[in-house]
Amino acid sequence: MYWREIGFLCVETEKLDKLRKPYKGYEKREVFCNSKGVKRNEFYQAQAQGYRPELCVEIKELDYNGEGHFEYNGKMYRVIRTYPVKNECLELICQALVVETT
């Protein structure tokens, strides 16, 4: 793999706006990654549990600190599961976040 794609590991934080009203924000950290397809078996097992995996990315295991979100190509995902693979790498299985409108 070439490690030429860029993604962001994100930690959800609660911030306050000018009127001191709380809102969700993200602290992002850039990492190099490889995009992979979601495996068929992984997809069906997740569907049985009520999840919808849409993205699988491979990152270096040292880059991951338990972050719950991943941004890739301008779209925010929630990390469903991590899976260690060979060569000190980690696969992140992700589900797209639903945008809340008010």
Side-chain angles (χ1 to χ4, degrees), residues 10-73:
C10 305
V11 176
E12 188 174 331
T13 60
E14 191 167 295
K15 300 179 180 183
L16 298 175
D17 62 10
K18 292 179 182 178
L19 299 175
R20 312 274 305 153
K21 183 178 175 185
Y23 69 94
K24 290 181 184 178
Y26 295 97
E27 290 182 14
K28 300 178 183 181
R29 188 166 48 89
E30 182 179 276
V31 293
F32 289 103
C33 62
N34 295 316
S35 178
K36 301 174 85 176
V38 176
K39 296 172 186 76
R40 189 179 319 169
N41 188 32
E42 181 80 35
F43 180 81
Y44 288 119
Q45 287 180 0
Q47 285 283 86
Q49 299 298 318
Y51 296 111
R52 186 179 174 99
E54 299 175 30
L55 175 71
C56 178
V57 292
E58 183 179 43
I59 63 171
K60 292 292 184 181
E61 192 170 10
L62 292 174
D63 290 336
Y64 188 69
N65 294 322
E67 291 87 352
H69 296 84
F70 189 79
E71 183 179 331
Y72 183 71
N73 286 341

Side-chain angles (χ1 to χ4, degrees), residues 12 26 54 69 75-78 95-99:
E12 188 174 331
Y26 295 97
E54 299 175 30
H69 296 84
K75 190 171 183 181
M76 187 64 73
Y77 296 89
R78 183 171 60 91
Q95 171 179 325
L97 288 180
V98 177
V99 178

